[in-house]
Amino acid sequence: YVVSSWKLPSDTITTNVVGTVNLFEAIRRARYSPRILVACSSEEYGYVEPGELPITENNPLRPLSPYGVSKVGQDLLSYQYFKSYGLDVVRTRAFNHTGPRRSRVFVCSNFATQIIETQKGLRTHVSVGNLDAVRDFTDVRDTVAAYWLALEAGEAGEVYNICSGRGYSIREVLDKLIALSGADVKVRVDAERLRPSDVPLLIGDRTKFTARTGWEPRIPFDQTLSDVLAYWRAII
């Protein structure tokens, strides 16, 4: 994921790029012909000009993290193996997704756990990084349904955005979680949570995928955040 890629850039490249090559070569040499879904990422788009919103699959790729670069490599390798060897591969570029069971290293779960820990007296404040970044969130349960549909109905060799088409600033996400929790918490910026460069704005266009599969998000974002809070409250 993005944060660990700053600390382990070579490991990130090895896992996502070399790992993809290893998988494709094993499939090719075994003369096996499965349908393959390669889960790429909106982080590939990286820096996006305001006039380029919402982001379509044709937008330039300008990744701003080692993770984003690795996903571009994975994405283009998938296209190359489709063109060179006829590999039955479908690519998806999922924007941010969240929901219950999502690891606490990701922003919604991280905020939720900190808020609950503050309510329980386990910490004094909520630590945050850049709250100005804008992200397009989809419930993970809707995202998994989209992956299934991509395998069932996606065109081989093609790439599809999976997103809601609506952006929220990270500050808005934090405010929503605090309001839903009923907590009165202090918020402090932690320099350790700030990245060398951060993607400022990611809002996607899912027109191509919806036209192909009929998919659209079903779970409202406030319901997703409420479910995230309930999940972590049962654990902490």
Side-chain angles (χ1 to χ4, degrees):
Y1 65 107
V2 176
V3 176
S4 67
S5 77
W6 289 109
K7 300 174 182 177
L8 300 166
S10 61
D11 286 3
T12 301
I13 297 295
T14 299
T15 298
N16 285 342
V17 179
V18 178
T20 299
V21 170
N22 289 342
L23 177 64
F24 288 172
E25 281 296 293
I27 291 169
R28 188 174 69 85
R29 295 180 187 186
R31 301 179 185 275
Y32 180 49
S33 301
R35 165 141 275 214
I36 305 162
L37 172 68
V38 177
C40 301
S41 171
S42 62
E43 286 290 323
E44 295 177 59
Y45 294 116
Y47 178 74
V48 177
E49 297 283 356
E52 295 173 337
L53 296 175
I55 304 163
T56 71
E57 293 83 354
N58 294 322
N59 213 70
L61 305 180
R62 310 183 189 101
L64 290 177
S65 69
Y67 174 83
V69 171
S70 75
K71 299 303 274 188
V72 170
Q74 187 180 54
D75 192 332
L76 296 183
L77 276 167
S78 303
Y79 177 76
Q80 182 252 306
Y81 268 76
F82 162 72
K83 294 296 285 187
S84 300
Y85 303 112
L87 216 62
D88 186 10
V89 59
V90 178
R91 297 169 287 150
T92 57
R93 293 177 187 157
F95 286 62
N96 286 61
H97 41 281
T98 189
R101 298 181 182 241
R102 184 74 160 148
S103 168
R104 66 184 298 167
V105 301
F106 297 102
V107 65
C108 296
S109 292
N110 189 272
F111 285 169
T113 56
Q114 289 193 73
I115 290 166
I116 293 165
E117 287 169 352
T118 301
Q119 286 181 304
K120 292 179 178 290
L122 301 174
R123 60 186 301 126
T124 59
H125 62 275
V126 175
S127 295
V128 302
N130 176 20
L131 295 178
D132 295 326
V134 174
R135 295 291 183 267
D136 182 327
F137 286 92
T138 302
D139 191 289
V140 68
R141 292 162 288 192
D142 282 330
T143 302
V144 169
Y147 287 158
W148 186 277
L149 284 170
L151 283 165
E152 285 195 329
E155 183 179 349
E158 285 296 324
V159 62
Y160 301 97
N161 285 341
I162 295 175
C163 54
S164 70
R166 179 172 179 181
Y168 295 92
S169 72
I170 302 303
R171 190 184 309 277
E172 287 180 277
V173 174
L174 176 61
D175 289 345
K176 282 178 174 290
L177 283 165
I178 291 173
L180 287 166
S181 72
D184 180 16
V185 299
K186 296 177 181 178
V187 176
R188 294 181 187 172
V189 175
D190 180 356
E192 292 294 318
R193 290 174 175 259
L194 299 174
R195 302 170 185 176
S197 63
D198 202 357
V199 176
L201 193 61
L202 286 177
I203 302 173
D205 183 331
R206 59 178 171 83
T207 301
K208 179 180 177 180
F209 188 64
T210 298
R212 182 77 185 186
T213 67
W215 177 87
E216 58 183 25
R218 297 181 180 275
I219 302 173
F221 189 44
D222 282 3
Q223 182 62 54
T224 300
L225 294 181
S226 180
D227 290 351
V228 169
L229 282 165
Y231 172 74
W232 287 108
R233 198 178 296 282
I235 290 174
I236 297 172

